[in-house]
mmCIF file of all heavy atoms in Angstrom:
data_model
loop_
_atom_site.group_PDB
_atom_site.id
_atom_site.type_symbol
_atom_site.label_atom_id
_atom_site.label_comp_id
_atom_site.label_asym_id
_atom_site.label_seq_id
_atom_site.Cartn_x
_atom_site.Cartn_y
_atom_site.Cartn_z
ATOM 1 N N LYS A 1 102.306 6.793 52.461
ATOM 2 C CA LYS A 1 101.816 8.166 52.430
ATOM 3 C C LYS A 1 101.466 8.564 51.002
ATOM 4 O O LYS A 1 102.251 8.354 50.077
ATOM 5 C CB LYS A 1 102.885 9.111 52.988
ATOM 6 C CG LYS A 1 102.448 10.568 53.051
ATOM 7 C CD LYS A 1 103.521 11.429 53.677
ATOM 8 C CE LYS A 1 103.065 12.883 53.753
ATOM 9 N NZ LYS A 1 104.088 13.753 54.379
ATOM 10 N N GLY A 2 100.256 9.135 50.833
ATOM 11 C CA GLY A 2 99.798 9.576 49.524
ATOM 12 C C GLY A 2 99.094 8.507 48.713
ATOM 13 O O GLY A 2 98.568 8.805 47.627
ATOM 14 N N GLN A 3 99.040 7.290 49.206
ATOM 15 C CA GLN A 3 98.392 6.204 48.462
ATOM 16 C C GLN A 3 96.874 6.401 48.487
ATOM 17 O O GLN A 3 96.285 6.642 49.527
ATOM 18 C CB GLN A 3 98.755 4.855 49.079
ATOM 19 C CG GLN A 3 98.127 3.666 48.371
ATOM 20 C CD GLN A 3 98.582 2.345 48.973
ATOM 21 O OE1 GLN A 3 99.660 2.258 49.568
ATOM 22 N NE2 GLN A 3 97.776 1.311 48.812
ATOM 23 N N PRO A 4 96.191 6.268 47.314
ATOM 24 C CA PRO A 4 94.728 6.412 47.280
ATOM 25 C C PRO A 4 94.041 5.313 48.086
ATOM 26 O O PRO A 4 94.423 4.139 48.016
ATOM 27 C CB PRO A 4 94.391 6.306 45.795
ATOM 28 C CG PRO A 4 95.656 6.643 45.089
ATOM 29 C CD PRO A 4 96.753 6.143 45.958
ATOM 30 N N LEU A 5 93.036 5.718 48.838
ATOM 31 C CA LEU A 5 92.282 4.777 49.666
ATOM 32 C C LEU A 5 90.833 4.625 49.204
ATOM 33 O O LEU A 5 90.303 3.509 49.164
ATOM 34 C CB LEU A 5 92.297 5.235 51.129
ATOM 35 C CG LEU A 5 93.661 5.492 51.780
ATOM 36 C CD1 LEU A 5 93.476 5.999 53.206
ATOM 37 C CD2 LEU A 5 94.512 4.235 51.762
ATOM 38 N N PHE A 6 90.190 5.739 48.879
ATOM 39 C CA PHE A 6 88.775 5.738 48.500
ATOM 40 C C PHE A 6 88.556 6.698 47.335
ATOM 41 O O PHE A 6 89.302 7.659 47.160
ATOM 42 C CB PHE A 6 87.884 6.183 49.674
ATOM 43 C CG PHE A 6 88.071 5.368 50.920
ATOM 44 C CD1 PHE A 6 88.958 5.777 51.910
ATOM 45 C CD2 PHE A 6 87.360 4.200 51.126
ATOM 46 C CE1 PHE A 6 89.136 5.035 53.066
ATOM 47 C CE2 PHE A 6 87.537 3.455 52.275
ATOM 48 C CZ PHE A 6 88.422 3.877 53.241
ATOM 49 N N LYS A 7 87.486 6.431 46.577
ATOM 50 C CA LYS A 7 87.046 7.323 45.505
ATOM 51 C C LYS A 7 85.617 7.746 45.796
ATOM 52 O O LYS A 7 84.753 6.907 46.077
ATOM 53 C CB LYS A 7 87.099 6.617 44.152
ATOM 54 C CG LYS A 7 88.494 6.504 43.561
ATOM 55 C CD LYS A 7 88.859 7.750 42.786
ATOM 56 C CE LYS A 7 90.120 7.522 41.956
ATOM 57 N NZ LYS A 7 90.479 8.718 41.194
ATOM 58 N N ILE A 8 85.375 9.060 45.719
ATOM 59 C CA ILE A 8 84.032 9.619 45.904
ATOM 60 C C ILE A 8 83.551 10.124 44.543
ATOM 61 O O ILE A 8 84.333 10.644 43.743
ATOM 62 C CB ILE A 8 84.056 10.757 46.942
ATOM 63 C CG1 ILE A 8 84.481 10.202 48.307
ATOM 64 C CG2 ILE A 8 82.712 11.455 47.042
ATOM 65 C CD1 ILE A 8 84.669 11.265 49.378
ATOM 66 N N ASP A 9 82.260 9.961 44.286
ATOM 67 C CA ASP A 9 81.668 10.401 43.010
ATOM 68 C C ASP A 9 82.057 11.859 42.739
ATOM 69 O O ASP A 9 81.769 12.750 43.545
ATOM 70 C CB ASP A 9 80.149 10.269 43.089
ATOM 71 C CG ASP A 9 79.480 10.627 41.775
ATOM 72 O OD1 ASP A 9 80.174 10.639 40.745
ATOM 73 O OD2 ASP A 9 78.267 10.901 41.791
ATOM 74 N N ASP A 10 82.713 12.113 41.583
ATOM 75 C CA ASP A 10 83.274 13.444 41.314
ATOM 76 C C ASP A 10 82.564 14.206 40.199
ATOM 77 O O ASP A 10 83.075 15.239 39.737
ATOM 78 C CB ASP A 10 84.761 13.310 40.965
ATOM 79 C CG ASP A 10 84.986 12.512 39.689
ATOM 80 O OD1 ASP A 10 84.009 12.019 39.104
ATOM 81 O OD2 ASP A 10 86.153 12.374 39.291
ATOM 82 N N VAL A 11 81.404 13.736 39.758
ATOM 83 C CA VAL A 11 80.728 14.368 38.616
ATOM 84 C C VAL A 11 80.432 15.834 38.899
ATOM 85 O O VAL A 11 80.766 16.728 38.098
ATOM 86 C CB VAL A 11 79.429 13.605 38.277
ATOM 87 C CG1 VAL A 11 78.644 14.366 37.191
ATOM 88 C CG2 VAL A 11 79.752 12.203 37.802
ATOM 89 N N GLN A 12 79.795 16.114 40.030
ATOM 90 C CA GLN A 12 79.435 17.501 40.335
ATOM 91 C C GLN A 12 80.670 18.372 40.558
ATOM 92 O O GLN A 12 80.671 19.563 40.221
ATOM 93 C CB GLN A 12 78.528 17.545 41.556
ATOM 94 C CG GLN A 12 79.151 16.967 42.828
ATOM 95 C CD GLN A 12 78.256 17.098 44.031
ATOM 96 O OE1 GLN A 12 77.480 18.057 44.155
ATOM 97 N NE2 GLN A 12 78.343 16.138 44.953
ATOM 98 N N TYR A 13 81.737 17.799 41.087
ATOM 99 C CA TYR A 13 82.950 18.574 41.365
ATOM 100 C C TYR A 13 83.730 18.831 40.077
ATOM 101 O O TYR A 13 84.348 19.893 39.930
ATOM 102 C CB TYR A 13 83.808 17.838 42.391
ATOM 103 C CG TYR A 13 83.081 17.658 43.699
ATOM 104 C CD1 TYR A 13 82.554 16.421 44.053
ATOM 105 C CD2 TYR A 13 82.896 18.726 44.575
ATOM 106 C CE1 TYR A 13 81.866 16.244 45.253
ATOM 107 C CE2 TYR A 13 82.215 18.560 45.771
ATOM 108 C CZ TYR A 13 81.692 17.323 46.101
ATOM 109 O OH TYR A 13 81.005 17.161 47.269
ATOM 110 N N ARG A 14 83.665 17.900 39.155
ATOM 111 C CA ARG A 14 84.294 18.140 37.846
ATOM 112 C C ARG A 14 83.549 19.243 37.093
ATOM 113 O O ARG A 14 84.159 20.105 36.449
ATOM 114 C CB ARG A 14 84.305 16.841 37.034
ATOM 115 C CG ARG A 14 85.292 16.846 35.872
ATOM 116 C CD ARG A 14 85.379 15.475 35.235
ATOM 117 N NE ARG A 14 85.902 14.491 36.175
ATOM 118 C CZ ARG A 14 87.181 14.348 36.437
ATOM 119 N NH1 ARG A 14 88.079 15.131 35.845
ATOM 120 N NH2 ARG A 14 87.590 13.425 37.283
ATOM 121 N N ALA A 15 82.218 19.229 37.209
ATOM 122 C CA ALA A 15 81.412 20.284 36.574
ATOM 123 C C ALA A 15 81.710 21.641 37.211
ATOM 124 O O ALA A 15 81.773 22.670 36.514
ATOM 125 C CB ALA A 15 79.931 19.946 36.697
ATOM 126 N N ALA A 16 81.910 21.645 38.531
ATOM 127 C CA ALA A 16 82.219 22.900 39.217
ATOM 128 C C ALA A 16 83.559 23.454 38.753
ATOM 129 O O ALA A 16 83.729 24.677 38.622
ATOM 130 C CB ALA A 16 82.223 22.675 40.722
ATOM 131 N N VAL A 17 84.523 22.579 38.464
ATOM 132 C CA VAL A 17 85.820 23.027 37.953
ATOM 133 C C VAL A 17 85.652 23.658 36.574
ATOM 134 O O VAL A 17 86.199 24.748 36.288
ATOM 135 C CB VAL A 17 86.810 21.849 37.892
ATOM 136 C CG1 VAL A 17 88.068 22.254 37.104
ATOM 137 C CG2 VAL A 17 87.191 21.407 39.293
ATOM 138 N N ASN A 18 84.880 23.014 35.711
ATOM 139 C CA ASN A 18 84.653 23.565 34.358
ATOM 140 C C ASN A 18 83.959 24.920 34.433
ATOM 141 O O ASN A 18 84.282 25.847 33.676
ATOM 142 C CB ASN A 18 83.829 22.589 33.527
ATOM 143 C CG ASN A 18 84.593 21.307 33.228
ATOM 144 O OD1 ASN A 18 85.828 21.300 33.202
ATOM 145 N ND2 ASN A 18 83.884 20.206 33.011
ATOM 146 N N GLN A 19 82.997 25.038 35.339
ATOM 147 C CA GLN A 19 82.294 26.306 35.506
ATOM 148 C C GLN A 19 83.246 27.386 36.009
ATOM 149 O O GLN A 19 83.189 28.545 35.547
ATOM 150 C CB GLN A 19 81.122 26.122 36.463
ATOM 151 C CG GLN A 19 80.271 27.388 36.645
ATOM 152 C CD GLN A 19 79.090 27.146 37.571
ATOM 153 O OE1 GLN A 19 78.914 26.041 38.068
ATOM 154 N NE2 GLN A 19 78.295 28.181 37.787
ATOM 155 N N ALA A 20 84.113 27.023 36.936
ATOM 156 C CA ALA A 20 85.065 28.004 37.471
ATOM 157 C C ALA A 20 86.062 28.432 36.401
ATOM 158 O O ALA A 20 86.452 29.609 36.344
ATOM 159 C CB ALA A 20 85.801 27.406 38.666
ATOM 160 N N ILE A 21 86.474 27.503 35.541
ATOM 161 C CA ILE A 21 87.381 27.848 34.438
ATOM 162 C C ILE A 21 86.711 28.843 33.500
ATOM 163 O O ILE A 21 87.328 29.836 33.057
ATOM 164 C CB ILE A 21 87.805 26.581 33.677
ATOM 165 C CG1 ILE A 21 88.719 25.717 34.560
ATOM 166 C CG2 ILE A 21 88.527 26.940 32.389
ATOM 167 C CD1 ILE A 21 89.066 24.375 33.959
ATOM 168 N N ALA A 22 85.420 28.596 33.217
ATOM 169 C CA ALA A 22 84.688 29.505 32.334
ATOM 170 C C ALA A 22 84.577 30.900 32.941
ATOM 171 O O ALA A 22 84.739 31.923 32.235
ATOM 172 C CB ALA A 22 83.298 28.941 32.042
ATOM 173 N N SER A 23 84.333 30.967 34.226
ATOM 174 C CA SER A 23 84.219 32.270 34.888
ATOM 175 C C SER A 23 85.542 33.032 34.813
ATOM 176 O O SER A 23 85.560 34.255 34.585
ATOM 177 C CB SER A 23 83.813 32.065 36.359
ATOM 178 O OG SER A 23 82.548 31.466 36.456
ATOM 179 N N VAL A 24 86.648 32.320 34.985
ATOM 180 C CA VAL A 24 87.960 32.961 34.888
ATOM 181 C C VAL A 24 88.176 33.503 33.480
ATOM 182 O O VAL A 24 88.662 34.652 33.298
ATOM 183 C CB VAL A 24 89.069 31.964 35.263
ATOM 184 C CG1 VAL A 24 90.444 32.533 34.909
ATOM 185 C CG2 VAL A 24 89.015 31.642 36.751
#
């Protein structure tokens, strides 16, 4: 349980996090 199985390209989601941090 909790073991990583797959990785999905996270570039756009990492950018969305940075944008959300800036908005806060």
